[in-house]
Amino acid sequence: MDTAAAARRFVAVWERSWAAHDVEAILELYADACVHRSMPFREPHRGKDELASYLRWSFASEDTTDVRFSEPLVGQDGRAVAEFRVLAREDGRPTTLAGCVLVRFDAAGLAVETRDYWHSTPESVPALPWRTA
């Protein structure tokens, strides 16, 4: 498995599918027994059914206007990380979500474990360049 290729596919599909709220396309990135943690103190979503429920709940009040992911940084043992920035309107008010996702891929290039850390602000903050150097 080429971790860099799996990670690039992961962020490309997430970027396109988050903007469209396409839960099914996102689920194709994950192994059946995946574990997704959406924040450090929340219970993990185990398996694709729980992940699908979480995604549908997350997208329900969000009118997404722009989604951008950074080029993923690839580590060892099938791991990668990428930043994301989402401009949206939640319940009619502008909001910006910025964070990162840590991913571990299996031998088939499917995500078996993901962990998100993010923050939001109740305003629209345009994306900045990912790298300044």
Side-chain angles (χ1 to χ4, degrees):
M1 187 265 307
D2 179 349
T3 303
R8 283 191 302 274
R9 176 178 172 261
F10 185 88
V11 300
V13 170
W14 254 103
E15 189 172 89
R16 171 173 77 242
S17 301
W18 190 337
H21 294 176
D22 186 348
V23 172
E24 296 308 315
I26 293 170
L27 293 177
E28 290 178 16
L29 297 168
Y30 289 81
D32 290 336
C34 64
V35 177
H36 172 75
R37 291 174 176 84
S38 62
M39 283 299 276
F41 302 112
R42 288 184 182 167
E43 288 297 315
H45 308 101
R46 298 183 183 281
K48 285 177 140 180
D49 288 342
E50 286 188 18
L51 177 57
S53 294
Y54 168 71
L55 293 171
R56 287 186 184 101
W57 171 82
S58 295
F59 293 156
S61 64
E62 181 183 276
D63 179 21
T64 309
T65 57
D66 187 51
V67 178
R68 297 182 192 198
F69 276 73
S70 70
E71 182 70 22
L73 300 174
V74 178
Q76 298 177 357
D77 302 323
R79 298 175 193 274
V81 62
E83 292 181 274
F84 55 84
R85 173 78 56 109
V86 179
L87 300 179
R89 297 187 69 75
E90 287 189 5
D91 300 320
R93 294 182 301 273
T95 187
T96 303
L97 182 75
C100 64
V101 57
L102 294 87
V103 187
R104 183 171 58 86
F105 297 100
D106 65 11
L110 296 174
V112 292
E113 183 178 9
T114 55
R115 182 182 303 262
D116 292 345
Y117 292 98
W118 49 268
H119 298 279
S120 62
T121 187
E123 58 186 309
S124 184
V125 180
L128 300 172
W130 295 110
R131 293 184 178 86
T132 58

